[in-house]
Amino acid sequence: MPAFWTTLIVLALGALGFLLGRGRAVASAGGDIRTLHSLPNYYGWNVAMFTLVPALLILAAWTLVAPIVIDNRVAGQIASADISDTTARGLMMADVRRVADGLDQAVAQGDMTADEAAGITGRATDLRARLAEVGVAV
């Protein structure tokens, strides 16, 4: 799921937490907010912050760590015999990223289904030709 939608869902949960926290505070006072220690909105903001801050911190951490984890997993699947030195590994990883971005672009344009993109195997020339049809230079 893209980070935008995840952030939007977290913000919606924070807004829901605000409303529920405020409502529970008013309900615990029997509708008379004068008996509350603080204003009802403060209770709502307290719940919203306890919802938003941890979720957004985890989302930010994952956004920073995910590319490193994915690159390490993909690089681990490339045989050392296929790569002559560390520079070649970097170039190969750049090719992997371009192919992955090209497949995402092909799916977004509707030229390929997600199942087709996930199941691509075979020769590199076939893949290059298929991505060239979409407009991706590999």
Side-chain angles (χ1 to χ4, degrees), residues 29-112:
D32 185 14
I33 62 171
R34 292 177 296 169
T35 61
L36 291 173
H37 178 271
S38 301
L39 293 173
N41 283 346
Y42 292 156
Y43 293 99
W45 281 115
N46 191 24
V47 173
M49 295 306 284
F50 273 104
T51 303
L52 290 173
V53 171
L56 291 176
L57 286 175
I58 290 171
L59 179 63
W62 179 246
T63 302
L64 294 173
V65 172
I68 297 167
V69 170
I70 292 170
D71 280 353
N72 287 338
R73 299 269 321 249
V74 171
Q77 293 179 0
I78 299 171
S80 297
D82 295 338
I83 301 170
S84 59
D85 59 6
T86 57
T87 306
R89 181 177 295 278
L91 291 173
M92 185 168 286
M93 289 305 297
D95 280 344
V96 168
R97 282 187 213 95
R98 272 196 300 276
V99 169
D101 291 340
L103 291 173
D104 288 342
Q105 184 178 349
V107 170
Q109 290 177 357
D111 294 329
M112 220 184 250

Side-chain angles (χ1 to χ4, degrees), residues 13-39:
L13 288 173
L16 180 66
F18 174 84
L19 294 174
L20 291 175
R22 185 182 189 285
R24 184 169 179 184
V26 171
S28 72
D32 185 14
I33 62 171
R34 292 177 296 169
T35 61
L36 291 173
H37 178 271
S38 301
L39 293 173

Side-chain angles (χ1 to χ4, degrees), residues 99 120-133 136 138:
V99 169
I120 286 185
T121 57
R123 298 189 335 240
T125 55
D126 296 338
L127 180 59
R128 287 179 192 271
R130 185 76 190 264
L131 291 176
E133 293 172 6
V136 177
V138 180

